[in-house]
Amino acid sequence: MTTVNRQVLLIEKPKEKLGAEHFRMAEGAMPEPKDGEALVKVRYISLDAANRAWMQGATYRAAVETDAVMPGGGIAEVVSSKAPGLSPGDIVFADTGWQDYAALPAKHLTKLPKVEPLTHLLSVYGIAGLTAYFGLLDIGKPRAGETVVVSAAAGSVGSIVGQIAKIKGCRVVGIAGGKEKCDWLVNELGFDAAVDYKDGALFKALRAAAPNGIDVYFDNVGGDILEACLAQMNLKGRIACCGAVSQYDRTPSATGPRGIPGLIVVKRLIMKGFIVMDYMEQRAEAVAKLQGWVESGKLKVQEDVIDGLENTPAALIGLLAGENRGKRMVKV
């Protein structure tokens, strides 16, 4: 067994755009599990826009520190255990960080079923799928015949949100960057329409795609896109606030979103932010539903797997630039 633990360190917090120069590869000693801990071998690292948000300061978790292993969730396999309930070969989800191995307290490990492919545990049955499921169904509460709009629609969460909304009988409009992604949403995932926010005429295009207004908006981006959707919300519409990608790796809009709280009051909108961890007690029920939809062919899974721990920084930078379709992850 190897005695070297490859690691990706964050050596500097970016002041503007994230770049390869903010990271470096390092070799650390193989960690030793203490009582109550398990040594795990990282199999897949989850890449999410939130990784970039953590570099800006404390969010729902502590701020990322420099000269330390870059944090991040991952699927891992237990190598050895000094904790009851965990045995070699068990598959777990944890904040493993960007490295080959980690020694972590058992209370921070979530034991997972062994499914094929294993990557689905990070995408449709993982944080992405659960975020889509609970955000749309618990906050958005879509009803058949309503119009649902989702931003970052070609991403890991948005692509699942739109498909669940279709399953629920809604008209679905996706907002994405570029004609190729928009065509994919309509032709492959079954969205009713897609709007290219890079086109420069977002408000007008959104009005054409959703002529009867918006009943549910699933917001992954904030900024100007949130502003455009707010103005077109129907009376008693619901907005699920999941993230603010537009503000993570670029200069935020100087003006927006405008219309808050005026439009929220006048249209009696419900606008609620959430973190998927709030719903973990209901995880099994959600996964069962998602599995049923995947197995029946109603829900298509799109995964973007990058090979090699050393490619993790470039893979995150590419995600922030919109390179990916569906869930992006790194195979370690």
Side-chain angles (χ1 to χ4, degrees):
M1 181 178 171
T2 181
T3 58
V4 174
N5 184 28
R6 296 180 306 154
Q7 301 172 316
V8 178
L9 308 184
L10 179 72
I11 58 172
E12 182 185 1
K13 294 183 185 180
K15 294 182 173 61
E16 295 182 359
K17 278 192 172 295
L18 184 66
E21 68 275 13
H22 298 118
F23 300 93
R24 75 173 175 88
M25 288 289 296
E27 291 186 351
M30 180 63 64
E32 286 284 340
K34 303 171 185 173
D35 286 342
E37 294 186 340
L39 175 66
V40 300
K41 169 70 175 77
V42 183
R43 300 278 299 275
Y44 293 93
I45 293 171
S46 176
L47 293 178
D48 304 280
N51 295 150
R52 178 66 180 87
W54 301 340
M55 300 175 194
Q56 297 177 337
T59 53
Y60 52 86
R61 57 164 296 149
V64 174
E65 297 299 326
T66 55
D67 297 314
V69 175
M70 176 65 197
I75 299 295
E77 181 177 345
V78 175
V79 176
S80 63
S81 174
K82 292 185 177 179
L86 287 172
S87 303
D90 286 346
I91 300 298
V92 297
F93 175 82
D95 187 348
T96 59
W98 292 7
Q99 55 187 339
D100 285 325
Y101 293 89
L104 301 167
K107 64 182 179 182
H108 295 159
L109 304 178
T110 302
K111 197 170 175 179
L112 299 174
K114 291 182 179 178
V115 303
E116 290 296 337
L118 203 59
T119 51
H120 281 17
L121 293 172
L122 273 187
S123 61
V124 65
Y125 307 139
I127 298 298
L130 296 174
T131 298
Y133 182 93
F134 290 117
L136 179 65
L137 300 183
D138 186 66
I139 298 174
K141 294 182 168 57
R143 296 183 286 269
E146 290 189 323
T147 295
V148 174
V149 172
V150 55
S151 54
S156 60
V157 174
S159 59
I160 298 175
V161 168
Q163 292 184 82
I164 296 176
K166 285 299 297 179
I167 290 168
K168 295 297 180 180
C170 299
R171 174 177 172 77
V172 178
V173 178
I175 301 174
K179 183 179 185 302
E180 189 178 341
K181 283 185 178 180
C182 289
D183 289 345
W184 176 70
L185 291 173
V186 174
N187 298 330
E188 295 295 325
L189 298 191
F191 284 46
D192 295 285
V195 173
D196 181 2
Y197 72 84
K198 294 182 178 179
D199 232 1
L202 174 64
F203 189 91
K204 184 178 179 181
L206 188 58
R207 178 75 77 191
N212 296 320
I214 303 169
D215 298 295
V216 179
Y217 172 48
F218 195 105
D219 183 37
N220 285 305
V221 300
D224 295 337
I225 293 176
L226 171 58
E227 181 176 305
C229 291
L230 264 173
Q232 299 186 45
M233 294 296 298
N234 288 330
L235 197 68
K236 296 186 178 180
R238 288 83 68 199
I239 301 172
C241 295
C242 177
V245 176
S246 66
Q247 299 168 24
Y248 295 162
D249 200 43
R250 65 198 74 173
T251 304
S253 169
T255 58
R258 292 165 292 191
I260 297 175
L263 288 171
I264 295 174
V265 174
V266 171
K267 297 187 176 189
R268 280 84 98 195
L269 304 177
I270 293 174
M271 187 174 185
K272 184 177 179 180
F274 74 103
I275 301 293
V276 72
M277 303 308 171
D278 299 341
Y279 294 93
M280 283 301 109
E281 290 183 1
Q282 303 167 55
R283 181 182 180 278
E285 172 193 334
V287 169
K289 281 281 190 184
L290 291 163
Q291 284 178 320
W293 291 332
V294 170
E295 290 166 5
S296 68
K298 292 180 179 179
L299 180 55
K300 295 181 180 178
V301 183
Q302 180 72 23
E303 296 173 340
D304 180 16
V305 183
I306 309 296
D307 195 46
L309 179 66
E310 68 278 4
N311 294 319
T312 311
L316 177 59
I317 293 163
L319 179 145
L320 295 169
E323 286 180 0
N324 62 300
R325 284 187 193 171
K327 175 64 183 174
R328 175 165 277 196
M329 63 190 81
V330 169
K331 182 179 181 181
V332 179

